[in-house]
Amino acid sequence: MNDDGAVVVVGAGHGGFTFVTALRQTGFTGEIHLIGDENELPYQRPPLSKEVLLGQKSPEALAFRPEQFYEKNQVTTSLGDGVVTIDRDARSVRLRSGRVVAYRHLVLALGASAVQLPIKGSDLPGVRYLRSLADARHLAPAVHNTSRLVIVGGGLIGMEVAAAAADHGVVTTVVEASGSVMARAVSTTIAKHLQRLHRARGVDLRLDTALVELRSNESGSIDALVSSGEVLTADAVLISAGARPRTALATDAGLAVDDGIEVDEHLTTSDPNISAIGDCARFAHSRYGRIRIESVQNATDQARHVAARLAGSQHLGYGAVPWFWTTQFGTKVQMAGICTAEGQQVTIGDIAEEKFSVYRFVDDRLVCVESINAPGEHMAARRLLAAPDPITIGHVTAVGFDPKQLAKTMGPAQP
Ligand SMILES: Cc1cc2nc3c(=O)[nH]c(=O)nc-3n(C[C@H](O)[C@H](O)[C@H](O)COP(=O)(O)OP(=O)(O)OC[C@H]3O[C@@H](n4cnc5c(N)ncnc54)[C@H](O)[C@@H]3O)c2cc1C
């Protein structure tokens, strides 16, 4: 890293905020500039579909730190003024306002945006998306004050909103095109458990059902025509059909992009003066191969990794064990590791008591553990997955298996 200009971070979300904080904590004394297109101080995103909709937290309470924090740490912020172009030759970025900011190193932490469905009526006034604080302010009245909500997409956000809406007594229907909820994120054992939970709490779950069209009707409500031929009438519709990495800025700047901004094991893009982290980056994980992960852990661990690398104290590649959580109807689901194939599974614990873990294996190697209301097992699983030696089905099915004890006997965690 040369000495001219600031370390500039584009994207003031989980990754951007953690990066500027971590870089200052390394003792870096140069200029740091955090640029965000949302007109908000950096804030926590997960509560948008949980505590905010449940009425347990106000949107205003989500900021990581007050304004003075940035002044005290000498982090210049430009909020509500996103970057529109990167000039790699001049090593500068241009903001929407026309301002140009020079960088010595640029970190892209651009996040992901909600997938817009190319479906007739998806732009009607009662149709909502949920990615940002502004979206949550718009969605909250639909969850608190309407009587019928249709949610299109049974992924993480759709299911969390369904739980919050049903808790508020809203008649809630989830329309999911595949045969399972959260199919990309969890095993069928966990998906089925969540499906039972939602149905028991009154959520009308329509699997193998796709949205065909949305129409506004004479009473001011929305009619959702679905693939079964049925019409579901709602006061509001949430489309939660997944997210896409924000890559346009990188593509326009000529950086390598393929379902995310391509970075190497050090999280450097095809330009050594630019790094990318979090939801927008596709990276080489030492254990899971090329991958893009949408989670708070991934964005914040990558932010700390790049901060340490720029400060000269990190020379290894990035390889943290991914982990993730979701809370629905008070049930806490925690995932450690990643599993994209169904593979072999061992379930330990009591499903009826709602306290169990699913250990998932590929080629007799533990790759992922999903825990329901078992935080101790989840923490142990993270250590097991970081261990240098593989954990096999034999380990987990052995008499007296205790993940916490086993974790203690494994060697030091691999990076
Ligand atoms: C409703 C919701 C619930 C979630 N729940 C969970 C959960 O329970 N657990 C979990 O682990 N993860 C959860 N996630 C995912 C998690 O929030 C993200 O993975 C995480 O925020 C990624 O951090 P990031 O820094 O990559 O992106 P973000 O936090 O999304 O920040 C990116 C920022 O960059 C800004 N930006 C984009 N382009 C520009 C530009 N050109 N100029 C300036 N700024 C720009 C964006 O507006 C945004 O503010 C949830 C996400 C949502 C939306």
Side-chain angles (χ1 to χ4, degrees), residues 297-373:
Q297 168 276 325
N298 181 64
T300 54
D301 278 351
Q302 292 194 338
R304 284 186 276 267
H305 191 92
V306 172
R309 169 166 60 78
L310 295 184
S313 58
Q314 175 60 272
H315 306 287
L316 299 174
Y318 175 81
V321 172
W323 56 267
F324 190 79
W325 79 96
T326 170
T327 309
Q328 298 170 27
F329 294 116
T331 293
K332 184 144 193 155
V333 188
Q334 292 168 294
M335 284 80 85
I338 287 184
C339 190
T340 46
E342 199 57 30
Q344 297 128 301
Q345 294 183 12
V346 178
T347 301
I348 305 235
D350 193 335
I351 297 183
E353 285 290 316
E354 272 215 87
K355 188 171 165 56
F356 63 96
S357 294
V358 178
Y359 290 76
R360 302 177 67 185
F361 300 84
V362 171
D363 297 332
D364 200 19
R365 182 184 184 130
L366 183 69
V367 290
C368 171
V369 181
E370 302 160 341
S371 303
I372 298 261
N373 296 326

